[in-house]
Amino acid sequence: MKNNLLKPVEKAKEEPALVTGKPLSRFYQLPFEKGSRVLRLAVLERIAIDPIVIGLHSTFSVGKKPEPLAIQSLSFDQGLLIVTVKLENEAPERVYIAVEYDHLLVSCSVDTDESYLGRHAYLTLQAMMRSGYCDFQEYYWPACFALGNKRSSYVDVVKKPGGFAITLKKKFSGLFRPGDDLPDVTERVVVPRERLSGKHAMARLAPVSIGYCFANTDLQHFNSNHYPFLIPYVFAATAYLKTVKSFKRFVLNPNDVDGISFSPQQEELNSICFAMKPLVAIRFSANSHQPETAAKVKAVNDANQLALFKLWHKALPLLMQQRFTHYFYTYGLRNVTGKPVMRDMKLVDFTMEVPVLRFVLKDEGDYYELQLKLKVKGKLLHMNTDKSSLFLVCDRAKPYLWYLLEAEMDYKLVWFFSRVNFRVQVPKGYYSEFFERFVEGVERWYEVKRG
């Protein structure tokens, strides 16, 4: 009987016979935290102290200082993470790690198989979990490596000092993997917006007056900590009230506009801007790997998004009546304070026209590609991914003209697709199980052309 015997977890049904060319019987299986690719040290240690285990090697005693292990190299071959390790006074060995949908498979060049976990594999995993867990998402590339092919059609594996980097090929920047988050397509609710009747009256100007700033930033950047919102500003006009001579200040509270007269529309618009202010900051979770905490933070952010979106719909007809509306790319909420900088404030317009979402599903041989297109009155909008906003969109040819989407589902889908150049690729190996339901959901609310 082999020492270091550990009880295996229950094997998933219908496992493939091979894992990147190696027999499945050579791999020991460990469960991920639900809904993630995270393996926790507590799971590994719990297996180590299982009372049913017999012949347990002392190496696995919980609380005992682990044997010194050096990771000499990392490589990634045909979807398999290969770790070369060395224990003191022993020859180097290899540990093989394969990341599956809901579990980790680990093997080694010594004695690990489906019924027991050798100490090289155990200590390697332990070394990878210095913070109490390891997220294996970066090594999860299902159906991206065909057996026998050294290179993948979807990703590039670039060797670097001490390891490697895995990057998507440019053509597959929208590659979907099972478990990736998809927008909710259960119900499309249109937010009503007031329509302008006839020619709308523009607000009168004075030498010192008020305008409205569309504050936007890139939500994908760490420092971009706010949703798109409106904030008033005070400005001084030129002699003939044609243009802005200088910006005085952002209006952060009602006291900042003392002494300035407003039209009824501006009074209402100011109230909408002040209502937006407490909703714009994005909440972050310090414990992002705690599912319950992350879910609560997401719920707050989603609620604030929808509330802001409805306020944008109230504001839009009023914005159409303002002489001066500007765009400010903020690089973070901390910069929306004090006096606006002239070079950062760009004149923009808004329109009442509604963008319509259309989808195209193409069969590309080994994979399907789902494309999103936006049209206004049947004319295609050429979206610029470098200038995107959560609730509003603009055309590359007219970056100063902004369109407001009309449903929460619309902006969730546009935001999702804008991050992947408006195209999602899905290898056929898991399309029916993991992606087809999403396409069917989209098809209930939008036109999906198949070709």
Side-chain angles (χ1 to χ4, degrees):
M1 179 180 296
K2 297 180 180 181
N3 56 18
N4 64 9
L5 177 66
L6 296 183
K7 181 184 177 183
V9 296
E10 183 181 354
K11 288 169 52 178
K13 295 180 180 179
E14 299 182 1
E15 287 284 4
L18 297 175
V19 178
T20 61
K22 292 176 68 67
L24 182 63
S25 60
R26 294 284 307 279
F27 286 85
Y28 188 86
Q29 180 177 319
L30 292 155
F32 287 138
E33 189 168 83
K34 187 176 180 181
S36 74
R37 308 274 128 66
V38 172
L39 177 64
R40 293 202 173 271
L41 182 60
V43 172
L44 195 63
E45 301 292 12
R46 189 161 56 245
I47 292 172
I49 62 174
D50 193 307
I52 300 177
V53 175
I54 46 180
L56 185 63
H57 194 282
S58 60
T59 296
F60 302 105
S61 297
V62 176
K64 181 180 177 180
K65 185 178 179 180
E67 295 181 56
L69 174 138
I71 295 179
Q72 295 186 327
S73 67
L74 294 171
S75 62
F76 196 74
D77 185 19
Q78 294 183 287
L80 198 65
L81 175 63
I82 304 172
V83 188
T84 302
V85 298
K86 188 179 187 309
L87 288 170
E88 194 173 17
N89 301 321
E90 295 187 26
E93 301 291 351
R94 286 187 169 187
V95 173
Y96 306 94
I97 298 173
V99 184
E100 299 295 320
Y101 176 68
D102 59 0
H103 60 274
L104 190 75
L105 296 174
V106 60
S107 182
C108 73
S109 55
V110 187
D111 53 4
T112 293
D113 63 21
E114 64 181 348
S115 65
Y116 61 92
L117 185 67
R119 60 196 178 106
H120 287 84
Y122 179 91
L123 293 171
T124 299
L125 294 176
Q126 191 180 56
M128 297 175 74
M129 293 187 278
R130 298 187 187 281
S131 299
Y133 67 90
C134 182
D135 191 344
F136 287 89
Q137 176 68 16
E138 65 178 307
Y139 309 119
Y140 179 60
W141 299 100
C144 290
F145 294 87
L147 292 180
N149 293 341
K150 283 292 183 182
R151 303 191 66 179
S152 168
S153 300
Y154 304 99
V155 302
D156 288 317
V157 181
V158 181
K159 291 184 178 180
K160 298 175 66 177
F164 57 90
I166 305 173
T167 58
L168 288 165
K169 293 180 183 291
K170 186 175 181 180
K171 183 179 178 181
F172 297 102
S173 61
L175 187 70
F176 172 83
R177 289 176 286 178
D180 285 354
D181 288 335
L182 292 169
D184 186 6
V185 291
T186 56
E187 186 176 7
R188 182 177 183 268
V189 180
V190 173
V191 177
R193 68 176 70 171
E194 182 182 335
R195 293 290 173 179
L196 293 172
S197 57
K199 188 175 181 179
H200 52 274
M202 299 298 289
R204 292 184 178 181
L205 284 182
V208 176
S209 192
I210 193 168
Y212 296 90
C213 175
F214 169 17
N216 189 36
T217 192
D218 185 347
L219 301 184
Q220 295 188 73
H221 290 173
F222 176 76
N223 291 325
S224 303
N225 55 352
H226 71 83
Y227 297 119
F229 68 104
L230 289 169
I231 182 169
Y233 57 82
V234 176
F235 70 93
T238 53
Y240 295 99
L241 308 182
K242 295 289 187 180
T243 60
V244 172
K245 179 181 179 181
S246 64
F247 293 99
K248 299 294 185 181
R249 61 187 174 275
F250 282 118
V251 177
L252 303 174
N253 57 68
N255 295 332
D256 292 336
V257 290
D258 288 345
I260 300 175
S261 60
F262 304 112
S263 68
Q265 292 83 5
Q266 288 175 330
E267 291 277 8
E268 186 178 354
L269 192 49
N270 289 347
S271 297
I272 293 172
C273 292
F274 295 141
M276 286 184 174
K277 187 179 174 183
L279 303 171
V280 302
I282 300 175
R283 273 62 172 179
F284 293 97
S285 171
N287 300 310
S288 59
H289 289 289
Q290 297 292 338
E292 290 184 5
T293 302
K296 289 178 181 178
V297 171
K298 182 180 183 302
V300 172
N301 283 334
D302 286 347
N304 286 347
Q305 282 180 22
L306 183 56
L308 272 170
F309 184 56
K310 292 177 179 179
L311 289 171
W312 268 100
H313 278 264
K314 289 184 178 180
L316 183 61
L318 302 170
L319 282 173
M320 301 288 293
Q321 301 176 55
Q322 305 308 309
R323 291 285 295 274
F324 287 101
T325 50
H326 281 78
Y327 175 91
F328 174 34
Y329 190 89
T330 70
Y331 295 97
L333 198 57
R334 66 186 182 278
N335 298 317
V336 188
T337 185
K339 181 180 178 180
V341 178
M342 179 69 77
R343 67 174 178 272
D344 294 335
M345 301 286 279
K346 312 297 182 184
L347 274 171
V348 291
D349 290 316
F350 299 88
T351 175
M352 297 293 288
E353 300 295 342
V354 179
V356 178
L357 279 62
R358 297 285 187 267
F359 292 85
V360 178
L361 182 66
K362 292 186 175 182
D363 186 335
E364 299 288 0
D366 292 336
Y367 64 94
Y368 292 105
E369 182 172 83
L370 184 65
Q371 302 176 7
L372 169 62
K373 300 179 181 294
L374 284 90
K375 293 185 176 181
V376 175
K377 289 187 173 181
K379 186 177 179 180
L380 186 66
L381 281 181
H382 297 281
M383 298 285 294
N384 187 348
T385 55
D386 293 332
K387 192 175 184 182
S388 60
S389 176
L390 187 61
F391 312 127
L392 301 98
V393 296
C394 66
D395 192 293
R396 263 199 317 264
K398 296 181 178 180
Y400 55 84
L401 183 62
W402 288 88
Y403 301 82
L404 180 63
L405 299 163
E406 69 172 357
E408 180 184 16
M409 190 190 300
D410 290 0
Y411 76 71
K412 297 278 190 183
L413 286 167
V414 172
W415 171 241
F416 172 80
F417 277 85
S418 70
R419 290 176 288 169
V420 292
N421 199 29
F422 297 95
R423 300 166 183 263
V424 174
Q425 300 84 30
V426 189
K428 288 184 175 178
Y430 50 78
Y431 173 84
S432 60
E433 183 177 358
F434 294 102
F435 199 79
E436 189 171 30
R437 185 178 298 178
F438 172 73
V439 175
E440 292 171 349
V442 167
E443 207 164 18
R444 285 196 294 269
W445 303 102
Y446 306 95
E447 176 187 332
V448 178
K449 182 181 177 181
R450 299 172 185 266

